[in-house]
Structures are given as C-alpha cells and as structure tokens.
C-alpha cells in the first residue's frame, strides 16, 4: 500500500507538470484527490490493514494528500501568473508612438459670411428667425402682394410640390410669418436656403441662399434703410465702402431699390471683379408695401417698415473672389479647405 501511495504521488506530480491549462490542473485535482479519486480509493482499503500498520500508512496518506494539494495550488498559481504576464504584455501601450491626427474641418464660405452677417445685424438689435423651406403659395407669393399672373408663379421658375405646396423661392416668406406672430417694433433677419428652377451655370444654382431683413415700427423711413445697409456693407467690405440705391421694382415694396456697393477690389475705378462698373450689385430692398402690412393685420397708416433680401452666395463669391458659384455646391475638399 505504501508503494501504491508513492506511485500516486509520483503520477500526480508528473501529470501536473505536464498540465497546460487551469482546467487540466483542476481535472487532475479531481482525478487524484476527489471523492472518487485515486487517493481516496486507496484510503478506502485502510480497513484491511492491521491495526499496527494503520497509523504509519494513514500519516503517509495525509502527507501525500497535502503534497499533491500544494503541487496543485502551485501549478495553478504559476499558470495565473503566466496569464497575467501575457495579458500585461499584450495590453502594453507604447506612449512614444505618434498619435492618430484627425483632419480638422472648416466652415463653408457661405456659412462664414452668414455668421458674420448674423453678428453684424445682431449688433444692430435684429433677432434671427427661421422659416420652413416648404411653403404655401400664400406665404411665398399672395401675402407678399405678388399678382396671380406674375411669371415667378410659373412652374418654370418655382418648384411646385402640389397641394398648394412649393419650395420657397425667396426668404421673403419670413416677413409674413414674422408679422403674423410678432407686433411692432419688429427687427428680424432670416437667413436660409431658397430654390428656383434655374439651369446650373457659373452664376446660377437651383438651390442658393438668401437672408431676409425686416424692420417695422412707427416712423421708419428710407433713411433708416440706407443707414442700416451702409453700416452692414462697411462691416463686410471695409470702412471706405460706398452704397448706392437704384430705383427698381418688387411687388412687396414701394418704393423698391436695388442696392450696389463700391467695388472693394478697385475702390470704384473699375476692374475685373466688378466688370469695370466700379459697383457690385448686393441686394434688393424697399419700403414694405401697405398691402403686405395689411395682409398681416398691421395698419399702414400707423406703421411703416423696410425690407431687404441679400444673396448670400453672391456675398461669399465677392468676398472671397470665387469665380464660379458651382464651387460652393460641389463640396470638393480641395476648395473647401482653403477657408
Ligand atoms: N425676395 C427678393 C428676391 O428674391 C429679394 C428682395 C427684394 C427681398 C426686396 C426684399 C425686398 O425683402 O424688400 O429677389
């Protein structure tokens, strides 16, 4: 029996030294020390020993059990240490490696001029309002005093969506929505996208950007309009900039004007940028037509106002000397990353 016990000890130690995983070690523990294990099987035969032999064999069996238990624990610990070392090695971060640099984005030129424009008008006390891009004929035309037979109402000029809906062809709709919800004094601008059924070329795009402006109060005159626009033009193009009004026509203003600024490139002498005119056409404006005020429940005998509509793409093009409007919509990163 003594020999059998020593054989078990030797077999257990050898098997343990060859165990490759924690599961292997555990299986060996069960095999040698478990209830149905080899050591237990031997101990069960103790009854057949003489009382004189028992103490010595019992002591040896206990010693071997302790020995195998220790060997199991040792092997388990060694394996865990190896696993930890392996994991640490795998998770090592080399802090001397160069980092991954994400390319930095930049603002689109139209957004750049829009942000500047908003800051300039906010400094003059204007609020920024927003309006839907899908509009009804009423807001885009009727309330703005655009006659039923006006060519802009033609399918060729405006994108109609059916059911009285259209893609707004101008931000002027914001005038009506504002006057319906606010009472004078009103001072708002509304920058946004507008849509027209135009062919794409160097100066036209079916989608472009405008900013509407509206001021309504008692005693508003064209002097206020000129003062505000002059201030705006000087902030955008420089303090020497001159502004001139030319008579024009819009259904929603009376009188109506086209506003030019002196060419910032040549100072008015004439150059390539202004096509030798010395002036650059900037926007349309005028005094709000009494019919428009009336459509919004504002008494034109008490209140007056001015409105203007600025083309933001044109503003970006003249400011950054961009030769073709299509560049603004093609999203070529080589172009966009210059701003
Ligand atoms: N809505 C006009 C356009 O798209 C621009 C405009 C002209 C707006 C005169 C105005 C205005 O508010 O008073 O061409």
């Amino acid at each position: 029996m003594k020999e059998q016990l020593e054989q078990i000890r030797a077999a257990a130690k050898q098997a343990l030294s060859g165990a490759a995983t924690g599961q292997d070690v555990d299986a060996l523990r069960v095999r040698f020390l478990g209830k149905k294990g080899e050591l237990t099987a031997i101990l069960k035969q103790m009854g057949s020993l003489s009382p004189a032999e028992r103490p010595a064999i019992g002591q040896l069996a206990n010693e071997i059990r302790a020995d195998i238990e220790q060997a199991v624990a040792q092997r388990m610990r060694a394996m865990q240490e190896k696993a930890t070392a392996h994991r640490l090695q795998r998770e090592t971060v080399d802090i001397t490696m160069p980092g991954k640099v994400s390319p930095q984005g930049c603002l689109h030129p139209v957004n750049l001029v829009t942000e500047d424009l908003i800051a300039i008008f906010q400094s003059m006390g204007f609020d920024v309002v927003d309006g839907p891009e899908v509009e009804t004929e009423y807001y885009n035309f009727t309330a703005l005093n655009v006659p039923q037979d006006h060519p802009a109402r033609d399918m060729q000029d405006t994108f109609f969506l059916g059911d009285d809906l259209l893609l707004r062809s101008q931000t002027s709709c914001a005038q009506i929505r504002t006057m319906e919800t606010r009472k004078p004094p009103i001072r708002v601008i509304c920058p946004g996208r507008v849509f027209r059924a135009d062919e794409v070329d160097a100066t036209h795009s079916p989608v472009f950007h405008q900013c509407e402006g509206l001021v309504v109060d008692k005693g508003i005159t064209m002097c206020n309009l000129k003062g505000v626009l002059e201030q705006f033009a000087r902030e955008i193009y420089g303090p020497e900039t001159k502004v001139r009004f030319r008579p024009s026509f819009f259904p929603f203003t009376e009188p109506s004007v086209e506003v030019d600024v002196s060419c910032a490139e040549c100072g008015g002498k004439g150059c390539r940028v202004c096509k030798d005119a010395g002036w650059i056409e900037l926007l349309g404006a005028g005094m709000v037509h009494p019919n428009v005020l009336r459509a919004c429940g504002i008494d034109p005998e008490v209140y007056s106002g001015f409105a203007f509509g600025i083309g933001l793409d044109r503003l970006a093009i003249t400011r950054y000397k961009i030769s073709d409007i299509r560049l603004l919509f093609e999203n070529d990163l080589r172009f966009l990353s210059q701003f």
Side-chain angles (χ1 to χ4, degrees):
M1 193 170 268
K2 201 174 153 193
E3 264 162 38
Q4 274 179 310
L5 285 171
E6 286 299 350
Q7 264 169 21
I8 288 177
R9 178 182 357 225
K13 287 205 169 169
Q14 202 194 352
L16 278 169
S17 70
T21 67
Q23 277 166 339
D24 290 352
V25 176
D26 205 49
L28 290 171
R29 183 186 58 77
V30 173
R31 177 177 143 197
F32 290 105
L33 306 175
K35 267 195 204 135
K36 294 179 185 158
E38 294 182 21
L39 190 63
T40 318
I42 303 275
L43 292 178
K44 277 183 189 150
Q45 297 164 26
M46 292 269 283
S48 64
L49 293 177
S50 68
E53 282 175 316
R54 258 181 237 162
I57 293 294
Q59 202 186 349
L60 180 63
N62 281 339
E63 185 203 307
I64 286 179
R65 165 176 289 279
D67 198 14
I68 297 178
E69 272 171 357
Q70 204 196 346
V72 165
Q74 213 172 33
R75 187 80 190 133
M76 209 59 146
R77 215 177 313 118
M79 246 166 224
Q80 274 161 0
E81 272 164 20
K82 210 168 124 194
T84 307
H86 185 67
R87 213 185 66 229
L88 286 177
Q89 161 109 44
R90 213 181 47 222
E91 290 177 358
T92 304
V93 175
D94 181 356
I95 56 168
T96 64
M97 293 268 284
K100 283 186 199 149
V101 183
S102 324
Q104 201 182 356
C106 54
L107 288 176
H108 190 281
V110 172
N111 286 342
L112 284 172
V113 295
T114 306
E115 284 195 352
D116 286 353
L117 172 143
I118 287 174
I120 293 167
F121 280 105
Q122 275 179 335
S123 78
M124 291 192 265
F126 284 71
D127 282 347
V128 180
V129 298
D130 199 9
E133 290 176 350
V134 173
E135 268 293 8
T136 64
E137 267 204 90
Y138 177 78
Y139 287 101
N140 199 75
F141 295 127
T142 312
L144 284 163
N145 199 37
V146 180
Q148 277 302 329
D149 58 358
H150 193 283
R153 294 202 185 211
D154 201 312
M155 295 269 281
Q156 254 107 51
D157 295 292
T158 299
F159 290 111
F160 285 89
L161 304 174
D163 284 342
D164 186 34
L165 291 176
L166 48 79
L167 293 179
R168 69 177 175 191
S169 64
Q170 48 185 358
T171 45
S172 302
C173 327
Q175 292 186 29
I176 308 303
R177 291 193 175 272
T178 301
M179 286 189 278
E180 279 182 353
T181 52
R182 296 185 182 208
K183 290 295 141 226
I186 290 169
R187 254 179 299 180
V188 296
I189 53 167
C190 174
R193 280 199 297 186
V194 297
F195 308 84
R196 282 184 206 174
D198 280 332
E199 292 289 337
V200 177
D201 64 26
T203 53
H204 291 88
S205 161
V207 185
F208 56 104
H209 302 81
Q210 285 188 337
C211 180
E212 196 72 11
L214 175 70
V215 170
V216 182
D217 201 354
K218 287 179 182 157
I220 296 292
T221 71
M222 275 191 104
C223 290
N224 301 115
L225 172 62
K226 192 157 190 197
V228 164
L229 293 181
E230 239 165 26
Q231 172 77 14
F232 166 70
R234 285 180 186 157
E235 297 235 18
I236 288 278
Y237 293 107
E240 305 302 320
T241 309
K242 290 190 226 30
V243 171
R244 88 176 172 188
F245 281 19
R246 276 180 295 117
S248 184
F249 174 80
F250 299 101
F252 29 89
T253 43
E254 181 57 38
S256 304
V257 289
E258 206 84 54
V259 180
D260 301 337
V261 290
S262 55
C263 177
E265 184 69 9
C266 61
K269 283 192 222 60
C271 68
R272 221 189 74 233
V273 174
C274 58
K275 299 199 181 75
D276 287 327
W279 296 91
I280 289 175
E281 203 181 300
L282 185 63
L283 54 90
M287 300 306 292
V288 181
H289 198 291
N291 287 351
V292 176
L293 293 173
R294 243 178 253 123
C296 301
I298 292 175
D299 185 352
E301 298 297 328
V302 181
Y303 293 102
S304 56
F306 66 76
F308 55 87
I310 306 174
L312 296 177
D313 312 276
R314 147 113 14 143
L315 203 59
I317 278 174
T318 54
R319 186 179 209 190
Y320 298 115
K321 303 193 179 74
I322 297 165
S323 57
D324 192 318
I325 195 176
R326 285 172 285 202
L327 288 165
L328 295 178
F329 299 100
E330 283 166 354
N331 287 331
D332 185 332
L333 285 177
R334 290 170 302 179
F335 168 75
L336 292 178
S337 59
Q338 297 174 59
F339 297 94

